[in-house]
């Protein structure tokens, strides 16, 4: 059992918290109440960033002491939304939210994952008609191994998980969010994910 704090109680955070609790972990969900994120992060072994990506950097940088020596799993994408509320562009051009978080939190082990799919797929990957791919980006191999184990608890087969390398590789997976509005407009709001076919 791992003690996990989920920052963000929207659809993504709530979905992950429910699934991780069901898998036997001790999960705390932090809402936007003053001090809730700090309290949750302070007592957790692993912290999941499921806050809206546009404000994630400021929110998490303020928790640098609480996040010291912790694994921070970043599942958010920092985007500028279009008129329809769907992602229209990236905030951090030539970089990524994950890289910005690692730079702001040098004593925290940031791992980027699960940001290339609709939120329902994060906890039910086998529900798709073909195996999806979950990517891992991060500087610390042990942290990525730990996050990979969490993914298996969420139903991900090990062969569906691909370690892309260092944190800079998150630029590629975060850019994949630009597919999302076009896919949704084309086929509707149905579960989907990026899959690497071999």
């Amino acid at each position: 059992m791992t003690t996990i704090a989920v920052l963000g109680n929207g659809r993504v955070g709530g979905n992950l918290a429910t699934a991780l609790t069901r898998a036997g972990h001790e999960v705390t969900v932090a809402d936007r109440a003053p001090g809730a994120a700090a309290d949750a992060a302070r007592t957790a072994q692993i912290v999941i960033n499921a806050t809206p990506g546009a404000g994630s950097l400021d929110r998490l940088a303020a928790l640098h002491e609480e996040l010291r020596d912790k694994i921070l799993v970043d599942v958010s994408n920092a985007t500028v939304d279009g008129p329809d509320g769907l992602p229209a562009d990236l905030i951090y051009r030539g970089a990524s939210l994950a890289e910005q978080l690692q730079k702001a939190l040098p004593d925290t082990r940031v791992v980027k994952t699960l940001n290339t799919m609709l939120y329902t797929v994060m906890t039910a990957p086998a529900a798709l008609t073909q195996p999806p791919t979950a990517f891992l980006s991060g500087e610390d191999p042990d942290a990525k191994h730990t996050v990979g184990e969490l993914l298996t608890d969420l139903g991900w087969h090990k062969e569906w998980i691909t370690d892309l390398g260092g944190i800079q590789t998150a630029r590629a997976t975060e850019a994949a969010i630009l597919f999302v509005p076009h896919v949704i407009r084309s086929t509707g709001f149905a579960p989907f994910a990026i899959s690497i076919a071999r």
Side-chain angles (χ1 to χ4, degrees):
M1 182 184 72
T2 305
T3 304
I4 300 170
V6 178
L7 307 185
N9 63 346
R11 291 180 297 185
V12 174
N15 186 42
L16 287 169
T18 298
L20 289 167
T21 300
R22 192 180 300 125
H25 299 286
E26 182 180 331
V27 181
T28 301
V29 179
D31 57 21
R32 295 188 179 216
D39 290 343
R42 188 178 297 112
T43 57
Q45 297 166 287
I46 296 175
V47 177
I48 298 176
N49 174 38
T51 65
S56 289
L57 183 57
D58 289 340
R59 287 189 191 98
L60 273 70
L63 302 175
H64 62 277
E65 285 302 323
E66 291 84 357
L67 292 171
R68 186 183 299 275
D69 300 324
K70 305 288 177 71
I71 295 174
L72 175 62
V73 183
D74 179 31
V75 303
S76 295
N77 290 301
T79 60
V80 177
D81 290 342
D84 57 1
L86 295 174
D89 204 352
L90 302 174
I91 290 177
Y92 303 109
R93 295 187 178 189
S96 64
L97 171 59
E99 287 175 277
Q100 298 298 319
L101 289 170
Q102 187 63 84
K103 183 178 178 181
L105 301 163
D107 299 317
T108 302
R109 296 175 290 166
V110 178
V111 179
K112 189 81 180 190
T113 194
L114 295 181
N115 62 308
T116 57
M117 61 201 69
L118 206 61
Y119 73 96
T120 56
V121 180
M122 294 178 178
T123 59
L128 297 181
T129 57
Q130 63 188 46
T133 302
F135 301 100
L136 298 172
S137 299
E139 297 301 319
D140 189 296
D142 291 336
K144 287 189 285 186
H145 176 77
T146 298
V147 173
E149 292 297 313
L150 273 188
L151 294 185
T152 63
D153 289 344
L154 294 174
W156 289 86
H157 296 193
K158 289 186 182 295
E159 62 269 24
W160 298 352
I161 303 170
T162 298
D163 184 344
L164 294 180
I167 200 69
Q168 76 281 357
T169 63
R171 296 181 191 186
T173 61
E174 289 189 26
I177 191 67
L178 298 180
F179 275 106
V180 171
H182 307 298
V183 172
I184 290 174
R185 292 184 192 113
S186 174
T187 61
F189 199 79
F192 68 90
I194 289 179
S195 178
I196 302 299
R198 291 186 173 91

